[in-house]
Amino acid sequence: MKKTSTRLADGRELIHYDLRDDVVREAVDRRPLDPVATTSEIREDRLLGDFVAIASHRNARTYHPPANECPLCPSKDGQLSEIPDSGYDVVVFENRFPSLAGDSGRCEVVCFTSDHDASFADLSPEQARLVLDAWTDRTAELSHLPSVAQVFCFENRGAEIGVTLGHPHGQIYGYPAITPRTELMLRSLGAHKAREGGNLFDELVADELADGSRVVLEGEHWVAFVPYAAHWPYEIHLYPKQRVPDLLALDEAARTEFPQVYLELLRRFDRIFGPGEPPTPYISAWHQAPFTALDAYGVEREDFALHLELFTIRRTSGKLKFLAGSESGMSVFINDVPPETAAERLREVASS
């Protein structure tokens, strides 16, 4: 992998990750851009103990542009985009309309490929490995920022999820504090450690492997399963078999196997609802240990288990899972698809 850091016309950082070491990145952003102006701020909800990002400037962000005006495609044929070069492998750049900025954190965009009509599932194992390396590198870089306590790499895919740009891409958020969902995990992890003395993540993975009914795919270094209490109709959790706190700690064997396992899971997702169905919308989310001290939860960073959660909001052909009264009002999910049934379906649609 070759990494090249440059700047866009408004001063935002842009980083190329290339498969070949002899690639030269010298293209200049020729757009007449105004400096980025953000209104992002973090407000604490004292009643719930969590926080909300207020970012009114995001109302002006690009919304469903035609393919020939996509800001994530390479710049060519007179069309200038966020990427000045005429082609790229993987590119990461600071979001022009960030939810988090300055003292409130940082937001970045990750373009997986220059092919506008592709998806992550279309990548080769070599390309998918490059994305993994980019996620890892950005996690390392953002961990050094004083405004970042936790790094979150994720992909939103599909208009049903709310994606406004069709080009295959994801995002990286550097949060200024530990997120509410991670706090819940840390509290459960700490309580279990104090009560039982073991590691809750290790026991969950071991239990799923022993039961087997919800295991979707198992490799030498990774295991994917539908969790016992899945919130979403089709939801997969992917864990390295050797517990590590973050992407930085993955060994070479796990990194090498990851593309084959992850690409297979994504391709199965597109087969869930049968032939002729549109691509399955999904959210793919990496959960990593925060970079702050975790003494308050009674755990250390090494107690946390890196894992990826992949889920779709489509519950059956032509129907979505909406977060209605119970889910949105009380955070109590009601799942229409039993996890064992979901796992069986995800095993049925394996690649031949």
Side-chain angles (χ1 to χ4, degrees):
M1 179 189 78
K2 181 180 180 181
K3 176 183 176 183
T4 307
S5 180
T6 62
R7 291 283 171 180
L8 296 172
D10 54 12
R12 287 176 295 134
E13 186 177 18
L14 180 144
I15 308 106
H16 276 276
Y17 295 90
D18 288 298
L19 290 167
R20 290 169 39 204
D21 290 336
D22 60 347
V23 176
V24 177
R25 299 295 184 184
E26 295 179 338
V28 176
D29 186 3
R30 296 183 285 112
R31 297 172 298 168
L33 297 180
D34 294 326
V36 174
T38 68
T39 59
S40 178
E41 63 172 307
I42 297 295
R43 296 188 181 182
E44 180 187 1
D45 186 323
R46 292 187 294 168
L47 191 60
L48 295 180
D50 58 13
F51 60 88
V52 177
I54 308 296
S56 61
H57 64 278
R58 286 175 52 79
N59 275 324
R61 68 187 185 275
T62 308
Y63 187 80
H64 292 301
N68 64 344
E69 296 179 11
C70 174
L72 306 185
C73 286
S75 292
K76 56 185 178 181
D77 301 327
Q79 180 65 37
L80 302 179
S81 74
E82 290 279 57
I83 298 93
D85 287 79
S86 60
Y88 63 85
D89 290 337
V90 173
V91 167
V92 177
F93 59 88
E94 290 182 74
N95 197 323
R96 185 164 172 79
F97 303 97
S99 303
L100 309 165
D103 293 340
S104 297
R106 175 158 162 145
C107 291
E108 299 181 340
V109 177
V110 185
C111 298
F112 304 138
T113 172
S114 60
D115 185 350
H116 180 85
D117 297 317
S119 69
F120 200 116
D122 295 323
L123 300 183
S124 68
E126 185 181 34
Q127 291 172 309
R129 169 61 190 265
L130 185 61
V131 176
L132 175 63
D133 290 342
W135 283 331
T136 304
D137 181 72
R138 297 316 302 157
T139 297
E141 293 293 330
L142 296 186
S143 71
H144 298 307
L145 297 181
S147 61
V148 171
Q150 181 177 350
V151 177
F152 177 47
C153 307
F154 65 100
E155 179 191 2
N156 297 327
R157 193 262 195 125
E160 300 94 328
I161 298 294
V163 175
T164 57
L165 297 176
H167 195 103
H169 72 287
Q171 299 180 68
I172 301 175
Y173 278 17
Y175 291 106
I178 299 175
T179 64
R181 186 173 175 83
T182 304
E183 275 208 333
L184 290 175
M185 293 183 191
L186 292 171
R187 289 172 187 160
S188 296
L189 185 63
H192 185 86
K193 185 177 183 179
R195 183 176 62 250
E196 307 290 341
N199 184 281
L200 181 57
F201 284 114
D202 290 351
E203 292 185 20
L204 287 174
V205 174
D207 288 347
E208 292 294 351
L209 284 167
D211 180 279
S213 64
R214 290 176 295 277
V215 173
V216 174
L217 180 62
E218 182 180 359
E220 183 178 355
H221 304 284
W222 295 84
V223 59
F225 55 85
V226 178
Y228 174 76
H231 289 58
W232 299 95
Y234 292 91
E235 175 180 345
I236 298 176
H237 291 192
L238 176 62
Y239 279 80
K241 290 184 175 179
Q242 178 65 46
R243 171 168 44 90
V244 294
D246 54 34
L247 290 166
L248 302 173
L250 283 175
D251 63 22
E252 183 58 31
R255 292 181 184 281
T256 299
E257 187 180 70
F258 171 78
Q260 287 81 9
V261 174
Y262 186 51
L263 290 172
E264 172 64 17
L265 292 177
L266 293 180
R267 290 162 186 166
R268 292 190 192 189
F269 251 50
D270 277 343
R271 300 190 189 101
I272 293 173
F273 304 105
E277 288 290 321
T280 301
Y282 65 73
I283 292 174
S284 178
W286 280 110
H287 292 262
Q288 306 190 78
F291 288 99
T292 55
L294 303 180
D295 298 347
Y297 306 96
V299 299
E300 301 175 350
R301 285 195 79 247
E302 289 68 26
D303 292 323
F304 194 88
L306 167 78
H307 64 284
L308 183 144
E309 298 184 6
L310 172 68
F311 60 90
T312 180
I313 62 171
R314 187 179 291 166
R315 56 188 174 88
T316 190
S317 180
K319 297 180 181 178
L320 301 180
K321 166 63 179 176
F322 292 103
L323 301 189
S326 186
E327 292 88 355
S328 295
M330 283 293 163
S331 294
V332 177
F333 275 67
I334 301 170
N335 190 352
D336 303 74
V337 181
E340 294 75 18
T341 302
E344 182 179 8
R345 178 57 180 161
L346 286 161
R347 290 192 295 266
E348 289 175 350
V349 295
S351 297
S352 58

